[in-house]
Amino acid sequence: MNNYFIGIDFAKAKFDAVILQRDNLNEEGHHGTFENSKTGYKRFLGWVRTFATKHKDEVLFCGEHTGVYSKLISDLLAKDDYCIWLESPLQIKRSLGIKRGKSDKQDAHDIAEFAARHEDKVRVHKAPSKEMEALGLYFSEYKSWVEAKCKLQCCIKAHRISGAENPFFKREIKTDQHELHRIQERIKAIKRSIEELIKQCPEIKRTYQILTSMKGIGIINAVALILATNNFARFDHDARRLCSYYGVAPFGHTSGTSINGKPHVSHFADSYLKSLISEAALCAMHHCPAIIEYAERLKQKGKHPSIIMNNCKNKMLHILVAMVKHNTEYGLQTLFAA
């Protein structure tokens, strides 16, 4: 049973923490500030043992999922078998109601109080394996290089239009083209590194084989799915939750008799993941029999093209989840679960 709730407000160089006891949630609690490093982590644990307890099963740590800022401390806590819960900053903020004023100490206190009030919804953070960590690094680097390539291509195009006869523009275009070639080679190298890494990890390799057996899902889309679901350990094979995470699950908007809006997808989603599954759906609508047939049925019903597109993305994710759940590559036997 959790008798102590420790809220952590992560920042780049430091983090603030507040300890609250179950029976005294309305009090200020104990506050401390520590360096966001391994040295700071050791001091933090000593502070926790002084003002809370030495028993790991009586403490619940909670912090906002802030990417690289929260990674070090949360992974160290997970590796030391502490219960650490990382929650969306927006989820915590909205649960607190109207608040006036802001400080790091107050934020840490609010996070600790959030953990105490919602401990039944806790999702324990687990430190990723070295392979998953490396896969995430490659994916992030791939995304950055692709963005750089797109920006450079736009510059080259603009230079060609505006300075077709200008020798200075021609010189810059030549330089940019050399840089573009270097970026393209780097992107190819990252893809090769991803493939080599996948081959070294049997569990990830099997999931990758299943995902890419469906037309439309290539190496980047497969890796994105593996990372988003922690190799499908997240979401409990619930396709609806995964579709919601990708921003392709429609939600209704009704209330009484006056409000009766049509279902719409939520904007609370990762736009890059959504763009990737959109590319996959476009390909599948031309090459995947199940998606082709499904899109044609929707078209015959007179559905708008944007609805057809979104429903195909939703359908694809449902099929992919079913394939991984049943450990089966794409084929007729997976369609019953879609």
Side-chain angles (χ1 to χ4, degrees), residues 174-191:
K174 189 174 181 180
T175 302
D176 288 345
Q177 285 176 331
H178 282 297
E179 183 66 16
L180 180 61
H181 177 71
R182 187 183 69 84
I183 291 174
Q184 289 171 334
E185 290 300 313
R186 180 60 185 145
I187 290 172
K188 291 178 182 178
I190 292 172
K191 281 188 174 182

Side-chain angles (χ1 to χ4, degrees), residues 207 210-211 232 237 319-328:
T207 305
I210 292 171
L211 294 175
F232 286 84
H237 293 104
I319 293 174
L320 291 166
V321 170
M323 287 162 56
V324 175
K325 183 178 180 179
H326 297 286
N327 193 29
T328 308

Side-chain angles (χ1 to χ4, degrees), residues 101-136:
K102 177 180 173 62
S103 68
D104 293 337
K105 178 182 177 181
Q106 183 61 46
D107 287 346
H109 184 282
D110 290 342
I111 294 169
E113 187 176 347
F114 169 85
R117 308 288 186 193
H118 301 87
E119 62 175 318
D120 58 313
K121 299 179 181 178
V122 63
R123 294 193 301 272
V124 180
H125 170 72
K126 294 182 180 179
S129 64
K130 290 183 178 180
E131 291 80 7
M132 287 294 290
E133 203 169 23
L135 198 62

Side-chain angles (χ1 to χ4, degrees), residues 133-148:
E133 203 169 23
L135 198 62
L137 175 66
Y138 284 134
F139 183 76
S140 177
E141 192 170 352
Y142 170 85
K143 179 182 175 183
S144 298
W145 281 115
V146 168
E147 289 175 353

Side-chain angles (χ1 to χ4, degrees), residues 2-283:
N2 298 314
N3 290 319
Y4 296 91
F5 302 92
I6 303 177
I8 307 174
D9 181 47
F10 294 105
K12 182 178 180 180
K14 64 179 183 66
F15 64 93
D16 287 76
V18 168
I19 300 174
L20 294 181
Q21 198 168 358
R22 177 178 291 277
D23 298 329
N24 302 301
L25 296 180
N26 294 323
E27 294 186 357
E28 290 187 2
H30 299 283
H31 170 253
T33 303
F34 308 90
E35 184 182 341
N36 197 344
S37 64
K38 289 185 177 181
T39 303
Y41 172 70
K42 291 179 181 179
R43 286 187 55 242
F44 172 58
L45 282 189
W47 176 77
V48 169
R49 295 188 186 105
T50 301
F51 293 102
T53 179
K54 295 181 180 179
H55 300 290
K56 296 180 179 180
D57 56 351
E58 292 185 19
V59 184
L60 173 60
F61 295 85
C62 184
E64 294 177 338
H65 200 311
T66 53
V68 293
Y69 294 167
S70 60
K71 178 174 174 53
L72 175 63
I73 302 301
S74 57
D75 284 356
L76 288 172
L77 285 167
K79 288 175 182 177
D80 287 340
D81 295 325
Y82 285 100
C83 185
I84 168 68
W85 176 16
L86 291 179
E87 185 55 85
S88 162
L90 182 62
Q91 181 71 24
I92 295 175
K93 180 180 180 180
R94 290 197 165 185
S95 71
L96 298 173
I98 298 174
K99 286 282 184 179
R100 293 179 175 83
K102 177 180 173 62
S103 68
D104 293 337
K105 178 182 177 181
Q106 183 61 46
D107 287 346
H109 184 282
D110 290 342
I111 294 169
E113 187 176 347
F114 169 85
R117 308 288 186 193
H118 301 87
E119 62 175 318
D120 58 313
K121 299 179 181 178
V122 63
R123 294 193 301 272
V124 180
H125 170 72
K126 294 182 180 179
S129 64
K130 290 183 178 180
E131 291 80 7
M132 287 294 290
E133 203 169 23
L135 198 62
L137 175 66
Y138 284 134
F139 183 76
S140 177
E141 192 170 352
Y142 170 85
K143 179 182 175 183
S144 298
W145 281 115
V146 168
E147 289 175 353
K149 183 187 79 170
C150 292
K151 290 178 181 178
L152 194 55
Q153 286 175 329
C154 289
C155 286
I156 293 172
K157 185 177 180 180
H159 291 337
R160 282 175 174 165
I161 294 172
S162 59
E165 303 300 327
N166 192 320
F168 293 99
F169 276 78
K170 290 181 180 180
R171 185 181 64 188
E172 291 306 314
I173 288 172
K174 189 174 181 180
T175 302
D176 288 345
Q177 285 176 331
H178 282 297
E179 183 66 16
L180 180 61
H181 177 71
R182 187 183 69 84
I183 291 174
Q184 289 171 334
E185 290 300 313
R186 180 60 185 145
I187 290 172
K188 291 178 182 178
I190 292 172
K191 281 188 174 182
R192 287 194 296 269
S193 298
I194 289 174
E195 289 174 341
E196 291 172 5
L197 178 62
I198 289 171
K199 290 177 183 178
Q200 296 173 12
C201 186
E203 292 181 359
I204 296 177
K205 181 181 178 181
R206 179 53 186 161
T207 305
Y208 175 78
Q209 289 173 339
I210 292 171
L211 294 175
T212 52
S213 67
M214 185 178 190
K215 293 291 184 181
I217 301 296
I219 179 172
I220 299 304
N221 249 303
V223 169
L225 269 164
I226 290 170
L227 289 171
T229 60
N230 192 21
N231 200 22
F232 286 84
R234 188 182 179 191
F235 301 124
D236 301 319
H237 293 104
D238 188 334
R240 172 71 177 179
R241 289 174 62 192
L242 179 60
C243 289
S244 178
Y245 185 80
Y246 263 74
V248 299
F251 292 91
H253 185 70
T254 62
S255 180
T257 57
S258 60
I259 300 176
N260 190 23
K262 293 181 179 180
H264 284 84
V265 297
S266 172
H267 66 277
F268 294 117
D270 189 317
S271 59
Y272 184 63
L273 289 180
K274 193 170 183 177
S275 69
L276 287 178
I277 199 64
S278 296
E279 292 175 3
L282 281 172
C283 180

